[in-house]
Structures are given as C-alpha cells and as structure tokens.
Amino acid sequence: MYRIGHSWDTHKLVKDRKLILGGIEFTSELGLLGHSDADCVLHALAEALLGSLALGDLGQLYPDDSQNTLNMDSKIILKKCYNLILKRGYHLVNTDIMIYAENIKIAPYKEAIRKSIADILNVNIEAVSVKATTWEKMGFIGRGEAIAAEATVLITTEKGI
C-alpha cells in the first residue's frame, strides 16, 4: 500500500529572527516570522506526511495560539508527525522538497538540509531530495519578503523499500 502527501508552507522574512530551514541555521540578517521557529521546510514536510494519511494539519496539532508551541523547534514537530505515520505501519519511501527563495542562497546548505532531515526521520539520505529556485523577482517571494517550501512524500507499508 502506497500513499502520497503534499504541502506548501511560507513565512515572512523579518529582522531579529533566526533563519532556520530544514533544521539548519543559516547565516542571515533576516529570519522567518512565525509562532514556532518558522522552519517552512520542516513544516511543509510534516504537513505532507500528515496529509498522506489524512491526519489533519499542523494548525490542528500545533495551534499558533498555544504557549506550548511558542518558539517550538520544528525538528520536534516533524519527528512527532512522522511517528504518527510509523504508528500506522507506514514509513517514508522518499520526499522531494522545493525551497523558494530570492535573495537567500540555498545551494551551500542543501546537503546539510538533506542530512538533517534524514537524521530526524532516521532514513537514508538518498530518500531526501532538496532543491531550490527563485521566483525571478516576481511576487512576495521574488521581492525578498518571504521564503516558501513545498514537499511531496511517498509512504508505504511495504518492507525493505
């Protein structure tokens, strides 16, 4: 049995916040605004996992008006969401992640992000694809106002995949 999940997440870039993408802290004067650490890469991945088994969304599990989730590390969010998948007898086959950023260079961090995600999920790094692109100066991402990430996952109950 196979299931597919997909999600998109975006956060506004602001001063005086850390920039964390895929569990990796970037060197940047701008960071992402959010209730948690605002890691849109891990948020998109966690929500894609939830979607693959119709388990709701991050807003249901981690409300943005709760003091319990304020400044929460998104690695914890991703791990807890993946544990919901594992408890139902599924595991990740692979994930394909696209990061959309105009002025923040992702390429120097891509392998570190892949390793971070593989470590969080305890999967082979070959199961994690991370790509990046710009929006060619168009829209809120193209103006450097935000960063977004999109994730697709394939999960299965089959062993040895």
Side-chain angles (χ1 to χ4, degrees), residues 26-41:
F26 281 52
T27 301
S28 175
E29 292 181 13
L30 300 174
L32 295 173
L33 181 63
H35 185 72
S36 67
D37 65 10
D39 185 334
C40 62
V41 172

Side-chain angles (χ1 to χ4, degrees), residues 101-122:
E102 194 67 33
N103 301 318
I104 307 291
K105 297 301 177 198
I106 306 301
Y109 298 90
K110 278 186 354 185
E111 289 307 308
I113 292 171
R114 289 180 69 215
K115 183 176 182 337
S116 170
I117 292 169
D119 289 350
I120 294 164
L121 301 179
N122 195 28

Side-chain angles (χ1 to χ4, degrees), residues 39-108:
D39 185 334
C40 62
V41 172
L42 296 189
H43 292 181
L45 179 53
E47 202 152 57
L49 287 165
L50 293 173
S52 69
L53 291 178
L55 298 175
D57 60 41
L58 290 182
Q60 291 171 290
L61 297 175
Y62 302 98
D64 66 3
D65 58 358
S66 168
Q67 288 302 306
N68 294 332
T69 58
L70 183 62
N71 297 317
M72 187 174 214
D73 185 335
S74 293
K75 290 180 273 195
I76 295 168
I77 293 170
L78 176 58
K79 186 70 171 172
K80 287 184 177 185
C81 290
Y82 189 51
N83 282 339
L84 293 173
I85 302 303
L86 294 173
K87 280 176 38 177
R88 286 160 176 79
Y90 286 82
H91 64 274
L92 183 71
V93 175
N94 74 300
T95 182
D96 188 22
I97 299 165
M98 178 65 83
I99 303 170
Y100 301 95
E102 194 67 33
N103 301 318
I104 307 291
K105 297 301 177 198
I106 306 301

Side-chain angles (χ1 to χ4, degrees), residues 119-140:
D119 289 350
I120 294 164
L121 301 179
N122 195 28
V123 299
N124 189 302
I125 196 168
E126 298 303 317
V128 180
S129 169
V130 174
K131 303 175 304 220
T133 192
T134 68
W135 273 30
E136 302 294 331
K137 309 278 186 217
M138 299 180 293
F140 61 94

Side-chain angles (χ1 to χ4, degrees), residues 140-154:
F140 61 94
I141 293 171
R143 289 188 300 269
E145 298 170 10
I147 292 177
E150 194 168 21
T152 302
V153 299
L154 177 65

